[in-house]
Amino acid sequence: MIDFNIPPYTGKELTYIKKAVESGKICGDGIFTKKCSEWIEQRYGTAKALLTTSCTHALEMAAHLAEIKPGDEVILPSYTFVSSADAFVLRGAKLVFVDIHPETMNIDERLLEEAITEKTKAIVPVHYAGVGCEMETIMKIAKKHHLLVIEDAAQGVEAFYKGKALGTIGDFGCYSFHETKNYSMGEGGAILVQRPEYIEKAEILREKGTNRSKFFRGEIDKYTWVDFGSSYLPSELNAAYLWAQLECSEQILNDRMTTWNFYHESLLDLEKKGDLVRPYIPPDVTHNAHMYYIKTKNLDERTRLISFLKEKGIHCVFHYIPLHSSEAGKRFGRFCGEDRYTTRESERLLRLPLYYGMKDTDRQYVTEMLHEFYRTK
Ligand SMILES: *Cc1c(COP(=O)(O)O)cnc(C)c1O
């Protein structure tokens, strides 16, 4: 059986977890958390990176820092994971979904202005598959209408738009280190804060509403409760696992890219024959090989392909059911404009197995079976 995903493991993870245990500190904000956040800050150039317990929680923090209030509107794609929406629903916001570009599955920036009302507070671009959204246009529109931009860069670690790291372009950026993402700590994430005026607020929010971060830096001699907060900091055990991955970030990226490129080259002939469609990477972006997907003719063909591959021992998955057509999506949001591509394209998309350390023979087998399906279909 060829798995769809295997969590990344590079070899040093257990050594670092052991080190964390031996250091006598396994709660949050120890040496490994510090190493990871400084790595993100230095490599990607952001004012502040704070590790969180998940990307969902990073988005929640961003929604709180953006002071989203009941009745405010937030614009996002319907084709995304539920977390992009949940964070704003929690604060009583109304979701306004807009359509996507069929080539990248990213929010169509040309539809944003039509969706903006006097209640709009923020735009949430989701960098699907680690392929950057059209951020230059999005930032221009946000500036013109005084909106905040919260990037859901869960899939975008180590990916770039016009040379800038995804997650560092908007006001806030949210990363995921879930086991299905390129770099992992089991469950975890990070919030990237670009504007200095939000940094201290973010630290307080993450540490139960206390100024404990300032205390640890020696800036004050005791810490107190200063504002509303929660507990968004991961344990050192998780951070130790992540550090082993970040240290090998290029090795992981190159390995994933080898599989991505292999799929892309091997499936060119099927695309030329009109059997399937391959992902499109716009010229301004550098993707991170987070995902390889194909598009079938329609839902029926995808269903047949999934069961064909399953019979051949290959596990492939699809996502997402568009949020606007789900029970909660209907309750909390509305679709602005016409759903030209969201539903149609989501029904065609199929993700192929892709993970760190995938064997050459396995990826070859996957492309052979795809060829067999289209020969015999
Ligand atoms: C994975 C993912 C999330 C959630 O990440 P967690 O770390 O599991 O909370 C949010 N948005 C997108 C687009 C994702 O792919």
Side-chain angles (χ1 to χ4, degrees):
M1 186 78 194
I2 298 178
D3 290 312
F4 169 69
N5 179 58
I6 296 175
Y9 180 76
T10 62
K12 285 247 187 97
E13 285 82 352
L14 294 175
T15 311
Y16 291 159
I17 289 172
K18 189 162 177 277
K19 252 193 177 167
V21 173
E22 286 166 358
S23 79
K25 184 178 164 80
I26 58 170
C27 66
D29 284 336
I31 46 165
F32 287 106
T33 301
K34 198 160 174 234
K35 277 179 191 286
C36 292
S37 37
E38 283 177 0
W39 186 92
I40 295 171
E41 284 162 12
Q42 279 156 23
R43 190 173 180 93
Y44 302 140
T46 185
K48 194 77 191 176
L50 297 167
L51 288 197
T52 58
T53 30
S54 65
C55 178
T56 307
H57 277 166
L59 287 158
E60 272 182 38
M61 285 182 67
H64 182 91
L65 293 166
E67 294 180 30
I68 304 291
K69 292 184 182 58
D72 287 349
E73 292 182 356
V74 173
I75 301 173
L76 73 166
S78 172
Y79 184 75
T80 184
F81 188 56
V82 292
S83 298
S84 325
D86 273 324
F88 302 95
V89 168
L90 190 64
R91 302 198 53 80
K94 185 94 184 157
L95 308 171
V96 178
F97 300 114
V98 303
D99 212 5
I100 50 171
H101 284 286
E103 305 84 23
T104 56
M105 306 300 279
N106 279 337
I107 196 163
D108 188 340
E109 69 287 348
R110 296 166 304 183
L111 304 173
L112 286 174
E113 291 211 271
E114 195 190 310
I116 294 171
T117 71
E118 69 276 16
K119 290 183 181 156
T120 310
K121 268 289 185 62
I123 304 172
V124 184
V126 180
H127 304 297
Y128 184 68
V131 175
C133 295
E134 191 34 57
M135 289 307 289
E136 207 165 85
T137 311
I138 294 173
M139 294 311 290
K140 253 189 222 149
I141 294 170
K143 201 167 173 193
K144 185 173 151 198
H145 297 271
H146 309 287
L147 307 175
L148 288 170
V149 174
I150 298 164
E151 297 178 70
D152 182 339
Q155 305 176 9
V157 184
E158 197 65 13
F160 300 83
Y161 168 87
K162 294 192 176 172
K164 287 186 185 160
L166 301 187
T168 68
I169 306 164
D171 300 283
F172 302 102
C174 302
Y175 284 169
S176 174
F177 300 118
H178 185 262
E179 72 161 36
T180 52
K181 302 302 200 285
N182 289 21
Y183 308 105
S184 184
M185 56 198 284
E187 299 274 359
I191 181 168
L192 279 61
V193 182
Q194 265 60 257
R195 305 228 307 244
E197 68 264 32
Y198 286 115
I199 294 176
E200 200 180 319
K201 283 184 191 153
E203 286 178 341
I204 290 167
L205 174 64
R206 179 171 167 271
E207 262 283 18
K208 299 103 183 161
T210 71
N211 51 6
R212 194 162 164 176
S213 301
K214 262 185 149 169
F215 171 73
F216 277 140
R217 283 195 296 267
E219 293 166 23
I220 45 176
D221 57 10
K222 63 174 191 297
Y223 73 85
T224 62
W225 187 28
V226 290
D227 201 350
F228 168 81
S230 187
S231 186
Y232 290 120
L233 68 170
S235 125
E236 272 291 285
L237 303 176
N238 298 67
Y241 193 100
L242 181 63
W243 180 242
Q245 307 253 307
L246 296 183
E247 263 193 341
C248 296
S249 63
E250 277 164 32
Q251 184 185 320
I252 292 176
L253 176 73
N254 293 340
D255 182 273
R256 295 184 74 102
M257 203 57 85
T258 306
T259 299
W260 200 100
N261 288 333
F262 176 82
Y263 280 147
H264 209 56
E265 281 154 29
S266 310
L267 299 175
L268 174 63
D269 60 330
L270 293 179
E271 186 175 65
K272 277 188 173 158
K273 278 196 289 169
D275 285 331
L276 54 74
V277 175
R278 301 177 306 158
Y280 167 73
I281 310 293
D284 287 334
V285 311
T286 309
H287 74 100
N288 58 0
H290 172 62
M291 189 191 301
Y292 198 89
Y293 63 82
I294 58 165
K295 286 197 190 152
T296 60
K297 199 156 74 215
N298 51 35
L299 178 60
D300 175 61
E301 188 180 274
R302 183 178 73 181
T303 309
R304 283 186 288 114
L305 178 55
I306 291 173
S307 51
F308 174 86
L309 292 172
K310 196 173 162 200
E311 263 169 47
K312 303 290 180 186
I314 300 166
H315 185 210
C316 287
V317 303
F318 65 84
H319 68 179
Y320 308 102
I321 309 287
L323 297 184
H324 75 282
S325 54
S326 68
E327 202 184 310
K330 283 182 196 150
R331 189 149 23 111
F332 299 126
R334 64 181 162 86
F335 200 94
C336 176
E338 190 195 344
D339 171 11
R340 285 177 72 191
Y341 299 114
T342 299
T343 300
R344 195 187 83 188
E345 298 300 304
S346 73
E347 290 178 347
R348 299 173 62 197
L349 188 138
L350 185 66
R351 301 174 64 185
L352 304 184
L354 174 54
Y355 47 84
Y356 173 67
M358 188 169 185
K359 286 210 242 37
D360 189 36
T361 47
D362 284 349
R363 55 191 171 226
Q364 263 173 33
Y365 179 69
V366 173
T367 57
E368 276 162 24
M369 289 306 108
L370 280 166
H371 280 88
E372 192 175 315
F373 176 80
Y374 283 106
R375 248 194 324 273
T376 56
K377 95 181 147 114

